[in-house]
Amino acid sequence: VTLYTGGMTWLNDEELQTWQALHSVLLLLPTALDRQLQRDSKISYLEYYVLAALSERPEGTARLSYLAVLTNAELSRISHLIARLEKRGLVQRRPDPTDGRYTNAVLTEEGLALVRAAAPGHVEAVRRLVFDDLDEPTRRTLHQAMNGIASAICEHGDGHPPARSPKNA
Amino acid sequence: VTLYTGGMTWLNDEELQTWQALHSVLLLLPTALDRQLQRDSKISYLEYYVLAALSERPEGTARLSYLAVLTNAELSRISHLIARLEKRGLVQRRPDPTDGRYTNAVLTEEGLALVRAAAPGHVEAVRRLVFDDLDEPTRRTLHQAMNGIASAICEHGDGHPPARSPKNA
DNA sequence: TAAGATTGATATATCAATCTTC
DNA sequence: GAAGATTGATATATCAATCTTA
């Protein structure tokens, strides 16, 4: 496994190895978490986070746009996702009485029961896959590093655009 | 943003914050890299890695199963992916003359040209998003941490199954 | 039979356009 | 008009079943 730049190397050896390790985790970890949740609770990683986020909100309620920001997902993705969850009876859609432009997702009894049932297994997976083998100082540095990368992406990354309407194209 | 365990907390505060940061990167970084490549070279992150891996092999050739292991993807995913690349003239499929069970993917001239053109932009994105803001010791620790997580997943994670054929279900 | 690969159906994500309410 | 949301078309991923060759 080398750098994949077609021969040219703009990362030095140490950077390259670090990047390969990070790259592996990027591909492996979401898949592993998805599988655990899908197998044990029939929901995806992202669905779990949406349901769990709702479970911690007053009335089990949040706007779709809030959920989109929270999960770093596009609004359209959340809208489709909520539609699926609604079809399964786990959430309800309700226009915000205050301002009709917003749509609230509201957790149902079934939805709450599902998150509660799913949480222990998920947290255990996170602990097992991420934390169990990391010592204190490594964790602290990991935290820093991740924050650094996250903010680099926010600053000059090609994140999804802030939901524009083009109107003329 | 809290732990999303429906009230119960099995991660302490420090772990929780670390997990949130990692979680963000898991969602943001692949998307950012995908976008850069898609915008500048019309290929996905995974497609890039497959083409680039081929570009570094003798004859630009590798077995599909090798590519699957290399990219941590399921074989079926690679097969579909190679089919798409083949349709675009970037690779060719060729049964292994040595052992007909294997299929080789062979990089074409066009494929090689595309990787070469795409590489600088991709490497620059990796540098900008991952490395520019990390100092030496942080990188070293990041490397360790990622290796730890990757091996934890390999050992007791729910990775994709090693390609069984059920035959009776 | 087993390993590698392919295929087709289904699920989910992405993109662009549109719709609604303020 | 602008922000939030929805929709439908397309792209890609996942899953289970099948096919091929050794």
Side-chain angles (χ1 to χ4, degrees), chain B residues 99-116:
Chain B
D99 183 335
R101 283 174 298 183
Y102 294 100
T103 302
N104 280 316
V106 186
L107 195 61
T108 64
E109 284 302 316
E110 293 86 347
L112 182 57
L114 191 148
V115 201
R116 289 218 166 115

Side-chain angles (χ1 to χ4, degrees), chain A residues 2 10 56 127-128 156, chain B residues 2 10 56 127-128 156:
Chain A
T2 63
W10 290 288
E56 305 212 333
R127 174 173 299 296
R128 197 163 24 104
H156 31 250
Chain B
T2 64
W10 291 287
E56 306 212 332
R127 175 174 296 297
R128 197 164 23 105
H156 32 249

Side-chain angles (χ1 to χ4, degrees), chain A residues 17-149:
Chain A
Q17 293 191 325
T18 305
W19 169 237
Q20 283 161 8
L22 176 55
H23 175 212
S24 292
V25 171
L26 248 40
L27 287 178
L28 287 172
L29 189 50
T31 305
L33 294 173
D34 251 332
R35 280 179 177 279
Q36 182 273 318
L37 283 167
Q38 202 76 55
R39 170 167 53 78
D40 296 341
S41 306
K42 314 292 177 222
I43 55 175
S44 74
Y45 183 35
L46 191 66
E47 287 169 340
Y48 173 80
Y49 272 83
V50 166
L51 292 175
L54 288 173
S55 80
E56 305 212 333
R57 306 265 316 166
E59 318 286 322
T61 297
R63 297 173 174 170
L64 296 209
S65 48
Y66 169 86
L67 295 171
V69 170
L70 189 74
T71 59
N72 295 315
E74 279 182 71
L75 183 53
S76 154
R77 187 175 175 185
I78 295 297
S79 180
H80 283 300
L81 185 148
I82 292 291
R84 293 194 303 264
L85 294 180
E86 191 171 31
K87 202 175 302 176
R88 294 169 61 181
L90 303 173
V91 303
Q92 263 194 315
R93 235 184 263 259
R94 227 182 275 164
D96 188 323
T98 306
D99 184 335
R101 286 174 298 184
Y102 295 99
T103 303
N104 281 315
V106 186
L107 196 61
T108 64
E109 284 302 315
E110 292 86 348
L112 182 57
L114 191 149
V115 202
R116 290 219 167 114
H122 174 64
V123 174
E124 207 252 319
V126 170
R127 174 173 299 296
R128 197 163 24 104
L129 300 179
V130 177
F131 291 108
D132 271 359
D133 292 330
L134 298 184
D135 55 27
E136 228 311 276
T138 304
R139 294 179 189 196
R140 211 172 9 242
T141 309
L142 176 61
H143 185 186
Q144 282 181 268
M146 290 301 121
N147 277 337
I149 294 172

